Amino acid sequence: MADQKGITTRAQDFSAWYNEVIMRAELADYSPVRGCMVIRPNGYAIWEQMQQALDRMFKDTGHQNAYFPLFIPQSFLSREAEHVEGFAPETAVVTHGGGKELEEPLVVRPTSETIIYHMYSKWIQSYRDLPILINQWANVVRWELRTRLFLRTTEFLWQEGHTAHATEADAEAETRQMLGIYRRFAEEWMAMPVVTGRKTESEKFAGALRTFAIEAMMQDNRALQAGTSHNLGQNFARAFEVTFQTADGGMDHVWNTSWGVSTRLVGGLIMTHSDDNGLVCPPRLAQWQVVIVPIWKTDQELATVTETARRLQQELHAAGIRVHLDAREGMKPGAKYYEWEARGVPLRLEVGPRDVAGGTVMLARRTGGKKESLPMEGLAPALQAAMDAMQHELFEAALARREANSIRGATKEKFLEVMSGQGGGGFVYAGWCGEASCEAEIKEQTKATIRVLPDEEFRSPEAPASCMWCGRPSTAEALWAKAY
Ligand SMILES: [Zn+2]
């Protein structure tokens, strides 16, 4: 039952606030297995909305879904040197099955490159078999020591795309295309602005040639890596002997890409939009976009109000709006408002006897604006317009907040001040010498990392001349931040 106590505010303790938003909205819960989480129906519904939107975008660009096994022979992981080094420390390994010790231990997939490219070596013979464009929706396991609901859990849900191409240019185009799809999804569906760019060598995916990412700023000014797209080059093709006959009769290794987003996005959505009253969910991803709360005192009122509420529900449903009628009896309207607010439902309709008589409803928005009375006539388009406006406003607010907390051309002194937390942290765009040692020193002293070497549209108008840290000539502008 809803209790009316407020939650910890963002200003008091951002991390406690985050957990309380999740608990209060019943999005997820802790499991008896440390580091794993239970995704409750309200949280899973958001993930399903995300899946549907992304799946459509993947299919519209020619990808198909398939499914590969949860278990991977342990020897597979060690075939690609960087890959095993990157993932071995966090794998879960099955050594026994059916009461017997296995001849070869099985790794619970931390990601599926190895088993998928093993299969591709059987399926690809000729350039005519290319490209292969496959996506998998699955769970993966990475043995994390420090976990947080949605953001970092030992088991999580995700999609992993794995493609094979005849040329480097085709693979690079695919890597870029999927980064673009992730950006479009983040901005148009999650209302979460992102910076796109390339990861440095130290931050790239284990075994990749190049990694690209979308990075978003959370309300505590930390960065969240929200999706990655990798050009794997021919590294895995060599390790798994994925070769093909070229158009002119020669033999070559294929070029691979992989790309993924996970249930981490739900955490990103929460930390981008929610407030001290609970979850704020962009309308396009909300489980229920509209909730109808009938208001009555007498039995006679209950009958007429409920009848009208049901008719409205049917009308809105028929118009393609995800609508829920909260007809629970024995619960006061105020308690219901409080509960739906904590759950982030974008629009609430209150229908009382006077509304029924006047042919109107009372509309309350989860964010922005006062309650207003709307005619029942033409309600669906009016609500759709309200949701479109809210979706747009959430994006604009998040973008304005990110830009207000981004600094360009910072000196070392300013950088230290920002990252020390006195300035609350933020995104810092600055020159970088390109040296891994310099990058490592900054990380050690400030905990800030290079999130990406930003794509052109995010770079400063004038390229920085020198490294913000060591003063040597700058080879690339870097986006620095503390990250989740
Ligand atoms: Zn430097």
Side-chain angles (χ1 to χ4, degrees):
M1 284 282 94
D3 81 59
Q4 305 268 353
K5 271 204 323 246
I7 58 173
T8 304
T9 66
R10 288 161 290 178
Q12 282 169 341
D13 183 340
F14 192 81
S15 164
W17 164 82
Y18 174 74
N19 285 330
E20 287 176 37
V21 168
I22 290 171
M23 291 298 163
R24 189 66 68 100
E26 298 180 347
L27 303 178
D29 207 345
Y30 297 100
S31 92
V33 180
R34 199 173 154 267
C36 293
M37 74 168 174
V38 176
I39 305 176
R40 299 185 68 176
N42 292 344
Y44 200 79
I46 296 174
W47 176 239
E48 282 182 313
Q49 293 296 331
M50 290 178 164
Q51 277 187 304
Q52 283 173 25
L54 284 164
D55 203 61
R56 212 170 307 128
M57 290 191 215
F58 298 158
K59 285 173 180 159
D60 285 349
T61 43
H63 302 85
Q64 287 182 295
N65 287 333
Y67 188 77
F68 296 84
L70 171 70
F71 300 120
I72 298 175
Q74 194 172 37
S75 60
F76 276 31
L77 221 60
S78 39
R79 288 214 209 152
E80 212 288 332
E82 286 182 26
H83 194 64
V84 67
E85 200 185 313
F87 282 103
E90 53 187 43
T91 53
V93 182
V94 179
T95 56
H96 288 72
K100 286 189 192 143
E101 186 166 353
L102 302 176
E103 275 180 39
E104 180 180 358
L106 299 172
V107 169
V108 181
R109 64 181 163 216
T111 179
S112 303
E113 275 76 6
T114 58
I115 197 157
I116 290 180
Y117 302 138
H118 170 79
M119 298 312 297
Y120 283 6
S121 73
K122 295 168 72 173
W123 298 343
I124 298 169
Q125 270 88 44
S126 144
Y127 68 93
R128 287 184 214 92
D129 301 324
L130 298 172
I132 288 192
L133 307 171
I134 287 181
N135 174 63
Q136 148 166 286
W137 290 97
N139 57 341
V140 287
V141 167
R142 298 178 185 176
W143 215 257
E144 301 282 0
L145 297 176
R146 301 181 59 186
T147 58
R148 301 196 63 187
L149 292 171
F150 289 112
L151 299 176
R152 198 175 289 278
T153 48
T154 295
E155 180 191 10
F156 58 87
L157 305 182
W158 78 345
Q159 58 72 215
E160 47 181 321
H162 293 277
T163 67
H165 306 265
T167 66
E168 179 173 13
D170 287 352
E172 187 73 3
E174 168 79 3
T175 311
R176 278 290 179 179
Q177 170 181 255
M178 300 324 288
L179 187 77
I181 283 178
Y182 288 157
R183 178 185 182 183
R184 191 146 63 80
F185 174 75
E187 299 195 336
E188 293 180 8
W189 291 79
M190 296 178 68
M192 181 177 81
V194 294
V195 176
T196 63
R198 186 162 68 81
K199 291 279 177 184
T200 63
E201 286 298 299
S202 73
E203 298 279 337
K204 76 177 185 185
F205 177 74
L209 194 62
R210 286 184 281 279
T211 289
F212 300 89
I214 55 169
E215 296 279 334
M217 184 193 279
M218 303 295 100
Q219 289 186 66
D220 62 349
N221 292 352
R222 279 179 188 264
L224 184 81
Q225 177 179 295
T228 50
S229 183
H230 318 289
N231 183 339
L232 301 175
Q234 293 174 306
N235 294 343
F236 286 92
R238 283 195 208 94
F240 289 88
E241 290 156 33
V242 193
T243 56
F244 71 103
Q245 189 166 43
T246 60
D248 55 15
M251 291 296 285
D252 198 0
H253 289 98
V254 299
W255 295 79
N256 294 115
T257 82
S258 68
W259 27 274
V261 294
S262 71
T263 35
R264 170 171 251 227
L265 288 177
V266 179
L269 181 150
I270 296 166
M271 289 195 295
T272 299
H273 301 298
S274 302
D275 61 21
D276 295 339
N277 296 321
L279 179 69
V280 170
C281 187
R284 292 188 84 179
L285 292 174
Q287 170 180 212
W288 305 122
Q289 297 171 309
V290 177
V291 63
I292 304 173
V293 179
I295 299 165
W296 73 87
K297 285 204 178 76
T298 65
D299 284 352
Q300 176 58 38
E301 285 173 355
L302 171 65
T304 56
V305 164
T306 304
E307 191 196 325
T308 303
R310 280 196 204 291
R311 183 175 55 75
L312 286 175
Q313 180 195 19
Q314 283 165 9
E315 275 176 28
L316 297 179
H317 177 76
I321 293 173
R322 295 190 292 276
V323 54
H324 177 73
L325 171 61
D326 186 352
R328 285 176 293 180
E329 293 182 32
M331 190 175 176
K332 290 205 168 88
K336 291 182 180 180
Y337 301 166
Y338 181 78
E339 191 175 299
W340 293 114
E341 184 170 49
R343 290 179 180 186
V345 174
L347 302 180
R348 182 178 78 227
L349 294 180
E350 303 164 14
V351 185
R354 244 184 285 171
D355 298 301
V356 173
T360 61
V361 292
M362 195 58 88
L363 166 68
R365 294 172 171 82
R366 177 62 181 82
T367 53
K370 288 188 185 136
K371 281 193 192 181
E372 66 176 308
S373 180
L374 292 179
M376 288 186 196
E377 188 78 39
L379 187 59
L383 296 183
Q384 195 58 60
M387 288 193 283
D388 291 348
M390 186 182 289
Q391 184 82 26
H392 178 74
E393 286 158 15
L394 287 174
F395 176 80
E396 290 300 325
L399 183 63
R401 175 173 53 73
R402 183 188 79 188
E403 291 308 295
N405 292 290
S406 296
I407 296 173
R408 288 175 188 274
T411 59
K412 182 175 180 177
E413 196 181 15
K414 181 74 182 165
F415 182 81
L416 285 167
E417 186 195 314
V418 171
M419 294 308 169
S420 72
Q422 286 163 16
F427 282 8
V428 175
Y429 295 80
W432 178 49
C433 58
E435 292 295 330
S437 56
C438 198
E439 184 187 9
E441 193 179 301
I442 296 170
K443 184 178 178 178
E444 202 190 298
Q445 293 191 23
T446 67
K447 295 198 172 75
T449 49
I450 296 180
R451 303 317 305 154
V452 283
L453 305 175
D455 286 334
E456 186 155 13
E457 71 167 283
F458 300 99
R459 286 180 219 149
S460 304
E462 211 168 315
S466 59
C467 177
M468 166 275 294
W469 193 260
C470 68
R472 281 178 284 191
S474 169
T475 56
E477 185 171 18
L479 165 57
W480 293 89
K482 289 186 190 172
Y484 278 94

